[in-house]
PDB file of all heavy atoms in Angstrom:
ATOM      1  N   ALA E 117     -45.819-167.800 102.243  1.00  0.00           N
ATOM      2  CA  ALA E 117     -44.768-167.855 103.264  1.00  0.00           C
ATOM      3  C   ALA E 117     -44.405-166.437 103.693  1.00  0.00           C
ATOM      4  O   ALA E 117     -44.271-165.540 102.857  1.00  0.00           O
ATOM      5  CB  ALA E 117     -43.538-168.570 102.724  1.00  0.00           C
ATOM      6  N   THR E 118     -44.274-166.248 104.983  1.00  0.00           N
ATOM      7  CA  THR E 118     -43.820-164.971 105.527  1.00  0.00           C
ATOM      8  C   THR E 118     -42.313-165.035 105.723  1.00  0.00           C
ATOM      9  O   THR E 118     -41.810-165.910 106.422  1.00  0.00           O
ATOM     10  CB  THR E 118     -44.499-164.666 106.872  1.00  0.00           C
ATOM     11  OG1 THR E 118     -45.912-164.708 106.700  1.00  0.00           O
ATOM     12  CG2 THR E 118     -44.110-163.297 107.381  1.00  0.00           C
ATOM     13  N   VAL E 119     -41.609-164.112 105.105  1.00  0.00           N
ATOM     14  CA  VAL E 119     -40.148-164.097 105.172  1.00  0.00           C
ATOM     15  C   VAL E 119     -39.686-163.241 106.340  1.00  0.00           C
ATOM     16  O   VAL E 119     -40.181-162.126 106.548  1.00  0.00           O
ATOM     17  CB  VAL E 119     -39.549-163.554 103.864  1.00  0.00           C
ATOM     18  CG1 VAL E 119     -38.027-163.487 103.948  1.00  0.00           C
ATOM     19  CG2 VAL E 119     -39.972-164.425 102.690  1.00  0.00           C
ATOM     20  N   SER E 120     -38.765-163.767 107.115  1.00  0.00           N
ATOM     21  CA  SER E 120     -38.257-163.029 108.265  1.00  0.00           C
ATOM     22  C   SER E 120     -37.187-162.034 107.844  1.00  0.00           C
ATOM     23  O   SER E 120     -36.326-162.348 107.022  1.00  0.00           O
ATOM     24  CB  SER E 120     -37.657-164.007 109.288  1.00  0.00           C
ATOM     25  OG  SER E 120     -37.009-163.286 110.325  1.00  0.00           O
ATOM     26  N   PRO E 121     -37.222-160.834 108.401  1.00  0.00           N
ATOM     27  CA  PRO E 121     -36.146-159.873 108.137  1.00  0.00           C
ATOM     28  C   PRO E 121     -34.897-160.168 108.963  1.00  0.00           C
ATOM     29  O   PRO E 121     -33.893-159.488 108.833  1.00  0.00           O
ATOM     30  CB  PRO E 121     -36.776-158.537 108.563  1.00  0.00           C
ATOM     31  CG  PRO E 121     -37.764-158.909 109.615  1.00  0.00           C
ATOM     32  CD  PRO E 121     -38.302-160.264 109.234  1.00  0.00           C
ATOM     33  N   ILE E 122     -34.987-161.204 109.804  1.00  0.00           N
ATOM     34  CA  ILE E 122     -33.892-161.539 110.724  1.00  0.00           C
ATOM     35  C   ILE E 122     -33.192-162.810 110.261  1.00  0.00           C
ATOM     36  O   ILE E 122     -33.831-163.766 109.833  1.00  0.00           O
ATOM     37  CB  ILE E 122     -34.440-161.741 112.148  1.00  0.00           C
ATOM     38  CG1 ILE E 122     -35.020-160.426 112.668  1.00  0.00           C
ATOM     39  CG2 ILE E 122     -33.370-162.272 113.097  1.00  0.00           C
ATOM     40  CD1 ILE E 122     -35.809-160.584 113.938  1.00  0.00           C
ATOM     41  N   GLU E 123     -31.889-162.819 110.356  1.00  0.00           N
ATOM     42  CA  GLU E 123     -31.122-164.036 110.062  1.00  0.00           C
ATOM     43  C   GLU E 123     -30.894-164.776 111.380  1.00  0.00           C
ATOM     44  O   GLU E 123     -30.139-164.337 112.241  1.00  0.00           O
ATOM     45  CB  GLU E 123     -29.781-163.692 109.415  1.00  0.00           C
ATOM     46  CG  GLU E 123     -28.995-164.911 108.988  1.00  0.00           C
ATOM     47  CD  GLU E 123     -27.754-164.571 108.200  1.00  0.00           C
ATOM     48  OE1 GLU E 123     -27.611-163.409 107.787  1.00  0.00           O
ATOM     49  OE2 GLU E 123     -26.920-165.478 108.007  1.00  0.00           O
ATOM     50  N   TYR E 124     -31.560-165.914 111.547  1.00  0.00           N
ATOM     51  CA  TYR E 124     -31.502-166.646 112.805  1.00  0.00           C
ATOM     52  C   TYR E 124     -30.175-167.386 112.969  1.00  0.00           C
ATOM     53  O   TYR E 124     -29.549-167.810 111.989  1.00  0.00           O
ATOM     54  CB  TYR E 124     -32.659-167.637 112.892  1.00  0.00           C
ATOM     55  CG  TYR E 124     -34.011-166.979 112.944  1.00  0.00           C
ATOM     56  CD1 TYR E 124     -34.876-167.011 111.847  1.00  0.00           C
ATOM     57  CD2 TYR E 124     -34.443-166.302 114.085  1.00  0.00           C
ATOM     58  CE1 TYR E 124     -36.114-166.397 111.891  1.00  0.00           C
ATOM     59  CE2 TYR E 124     -35.678-165.684 114.136  1.00  0.00           C
ATOM     60  CZ  TYR E 124     -36.513-165.736 113.034  1.00  0.00           C
ATOM     61  OH  TYR E 124     -37.735-165.120 113.070  1.00  0.00           O
ATOM     62  N   GLN E 125     -29.777-167.544 114.227  1.00  0.00           N
ATOM     63  CA  GLN E 125     -28.562-168.281 114.583  1.00  0.00           C
ATOM     64  C   GLN E 125     -28.946-169.651 115.150  1.00  0.00           C
ATOM     65  O   GLN E 125     -30.069-169.849 115.602  1.00  0.00           O
ATOM     66  CB  GLN E 125     -27.753-167.500 115.619  1.00  0.00           C
ATOM     67  CG  GLN E 125     -27.455-166.064 115.242  1.00  0.00           C
ATOM     68  CD  GLN E 125     -26.495-165.957 114.093  1.00  0.00           C
ATOM     69  OE1 GLN E 125     -25.542-166.717 114.020  1.00  0.00           O
ATOM     70  NE2 GLN E 125     -26.730-165.008 113.200  1.00  0.00           N
ATOM     71  N   GLN E 126     -27.984-170.562 115.160  1.00  0.00           N
ATOM     72  CA  GLN E 126     -28.186-171.881 115.756  1.00  0.00           C
ATOM     73  C   GLN E 126     -27.595-171.896 117.160  1.00  0.00           C
ATOM     74  O   GLN E 126     -26.406-171.654 117.350  1.00  0.00           O
ATOM     75  CB  GLN E 126     -27.510-172.965 114.898  1.00  0.00           C
ATOM     76  CG  GLN E 126     -28.112-173.124 113.519  1.00  0.00           C
ATOM     77  CD  GLN E 126     -29.551-173.620 113.575  1.00  0.00           C
ATOM     78  OE1 GLN E 126     -29.876-174.518 114.361  1.00  0.00           O
ATOM     79  NE2 GLN E 126     -30.404-173.042 112.746  1.00  0.00           N
ATOM     80  N   PHE E 127     -28.438-172.172 118.153  1.00  0.00           N
ATOM     81  CA  PHE E 127     -28.013-172.126 119.543  1.00  0.00           C
ATOM     82  C   PHE E 127     -26.817-173.040 119.801  1.00  0.00           C
ATOM     83  O   PHE E 127     -25.859-172.651 120.471  1.00  0.00           O
ATOM     84  CB  PHE E 127     -29.177-172.524 120.441  1.00  0.00           C
ATOM     85  CG  PHE E 127     -28.862-172.487 121.911  1.00  0.00           C
ATOM     86  CD1 PHE E 127     -28.843-171.285 122.600  1.00  0.00           C
ATOM     87  CD2 PHE E 127     -28.594-173.658 122.613  1.00  0.00           C
ATOM     88  CE1 PHE E 127     -28.558-171.245 123.960  1.00  0.00           C
ATOM     89  CE2 PHE E 127     -28.304-173.620 123.966  1.00  0.00           C
ATOM     90  CZ  PHE E 127     -28.289-172.413 124.636  1.00  0.00           C
TER      91      PHE E 127
END
Side-chain angles (χ1 to χ4, degrees):
T118 304
V119 178
S120 173
I122 296 169
E123 185 173 348
Y124 295 107
Q125 308 291 320
Q126 295 295 318
F127 181 79

